[in-house]
Amino acid sequence: MHLFNDGVKILAKKASLTNLRSFITEEKGQQFSNVVIESTAAVPLEISYPRPNLCRVSLSAELIMYPGPLVVRDGIVAEVVIKPAAAAQVELDISLEEAVQALITTVKGLPYRTVFGFSRKPLYDFYQDKEIVIDPGHGGADGGWRGPVDLWERDMAWQTAGELAAILAGYGARVVLTRGEGENPSWQQRLSKVGPATFCFVSVHHYGNTDREQRGTAVLYNPRLPGNEQLAEVVLERIINKVKTPARGIKADNELALLGEVPALKLEPVTITNWVDEGLLRNPYLHRKVALQTVLGIKQYFRAGEKL
Ligand SMILES: [Zn+2]
């Protein structure tokens, strides 16, 4: 046997885990939440589901990386914990927000990749054909609050609302916008978009204050509908967990109360008048994270209600 082949054989005997990642992919309209393990060679593994929401993988390998936890919270994968088990064994616990099972694929090469793909179909199942009214705050001549550098609340609300609309439409929801980009309808005109088929109304703003020290995230709710307070709590918790902003809390909103018993939220993802928060708004991922966590929070709240 050639020396070169010997070398490869030695590597193949003792795989080491070097990296752990998670990301969402989409192919032909099908989304997957992927957990990827990188290793120095192929890794023999066994997979089991001790609970419907827990995928456990036993790997014959060594751990030479930071063991986590990796907090994902993408609506399907909650968290990944990797820990040494018996000799030359590593245990990977993938806790799930939905009871879905993994499709395993491997990609040869260096690093060697083992991919656990979890279907994001539960999100389609929930949102398919639901009508959601999205209200981008302000518009036209009404810029809303202005950040210390140059951003306007009107434009940032438009951007966040656009992400929200795109994500919801992607899951089959029927999205209705209360305004076009250059328009500034009255509150009554905005509310008139809500009809008997409306599942939820989401108004998007960013908070502002003359005190530039103030920063953080709040979610306002419709006090006319029992339970809307908990809906706001779930959405707020999910946003701050991902965006890492301080929580300004939840608050009853009198404007939303005009909707009667329609589930309704007003988002204030950041405080645009604060330097740090205005800076966050420059990152397109901020808008995407806020939008995704809002979509997931709404589903989480209503699904929890169904199970009662
Ligand atoms: Zn506003």
Side-chain angles (χ1 to χ4, degrees):
M1 192 179 278
H2 300 292
L3 268 176
F4 177 74
N5 282 343
D6 262 1
V8 169
K9 220 173 145 193
I10 287 160
L11 268 179
K13 261 189 211 161
K14 241 185 175 182
S16 297
L17 305 186
T18 53
N19 196 16
L20 176 67
R21 297 182 293 139
S22 170
F23 51 86
I24 296 171
T25 51
E26 182 161 352
E27 215 175 304
K28 293 169 189 160
Q30 291 253 57
Q31 280 190 0
F32 284 87
S33 291
N34 301 289
V35 174
V36 182
I37 291 181
E38 294 181 352
S39 53
T40 53
V43 187
L45 60 87
E46 272 175 47
I47 192 162
S48 65
Y49 295 86
R51 295 192 302 274
N53 284 41
L54 177 63
C55 172
R56 177 165 289 165
V57 187
S58 297
L59 305 135
S60 302
E62 278 182 309
L63 190 62
I64 55 164
M65 53 168 279
Y66 175 68
L70 175 68
V71 178
V72 182
R73 299 196 86 184
D74 67 2
I76 298 296
V77 175
E79 190 179 271
V80 186
V81 177
I82 189 161
K83 54 182 188 282
Q89 287 281 326
V90 174
E91 204 164 78
L92 181 74
D93 271 355
I94 305 170
S95 48
L96 301 160
E97 298 192 61
E98 288 284 345
V100 283
Q101 299 207 342
L103 291 171
I104 303 173
T105 48
T106 54
V107 185
K108 290 190 176 72
L110 235 155
Y112 188 96
R113 293 189 178 90
T114 308
V115 183
F116 302 88
F118 298 90
S119 168
R120 294 178 64 75
K121 189 169 173 293
L123 288 155
Y124 296 85
D125 292 345
F126 180 78
Y127 276 109
Q128 191 75 48
D129 292 327
K130 282 195 167 68
E131 183 183 289
I132 317 272
V133 178
I134 298 176
D135 171 46
H138 310 279
D142 173 12
W145 288 95
R146 191 186 178 180
V149 181
D150 58 358
L151 295 183
W152 283 98
E153 184 192 355
R154 166 195 60 212
D155 307 324
M156 296 300 100
W158 179 258
Q159 199 177 333
T160 312
E163 292 288 350
L164 200 51
I167 293 171
L168 286 167
Y171 293 132
R174 284 182 285 123
V175 174
V176 177
L177 287 174
T178 59
R179 69 164 171 100
E181 189 166 6
E183 298 167 354
N184 182 28
S186 68
W187 186 244
Q188 274 310 324
Q189 286 170 316
R190 292 171 194 252
L191 295 189
S192 72
K193 303 280 184 179
V194 174
T198 302
F199 177 74
C200 190
F201 177 90
V202 184
S203 186
V204 184
H205 287 251
H206 289 285
Y207 181 64
N209 198 296
T210 49
D211 173 7
R212 297 215 157 152
E213 296 295 312
Q214 282 206 39
R215 61 173 298 222
T217 308
V219 178
L220 285 61
Y221 62 92
N222 175 4
R224 287 284 299 280
L225 180 64
N228 249 2
E229 195 176 339
Q230 284 78 43
L231 170 62
E233 268 172 16
V234 171
V235 171
L236 176 65
E237 191 274 333
R238 290 201 73 114
I239 293 174
I240 60 170
N241 189 282
K242 269 309 214 201
V243 175
K244 309 291 181 201
T245 42
R248 291 179 36 250
I250 60 163
K251 204 177 140 213
D253 184 80
N254 290 333
E255 280 193 329
L256 294 177
L258 298 173
L259 282 163
E261 296 208 337
V262 175
L265 298 174
K266 197 183 271 183
L267 306 180
E268 293 177 348
V270 304
T271 303
I272 193 170
T273 44
N274 175 272
W275 288 90
V276 178
D277 278 18
E278 186 191 32
L280 294 177
L281 287 169
R282 292 183 200 282
N283 186 343
Y285 287 109
L286 181 279
H287 299 272
R288 214 165 293 166
K289 279 182 193 172
V290 166
L292 180 60
Q293 293 306 317
T294 301
V295 167
L296 299 178
I298 292 170
K299 170 177 162 287
Q300 182 183 326
Y301 169 77
F302 284 101
R303 284 292 304 276
E306 285 167 19
K307 283 169 195 161
L308 290 175

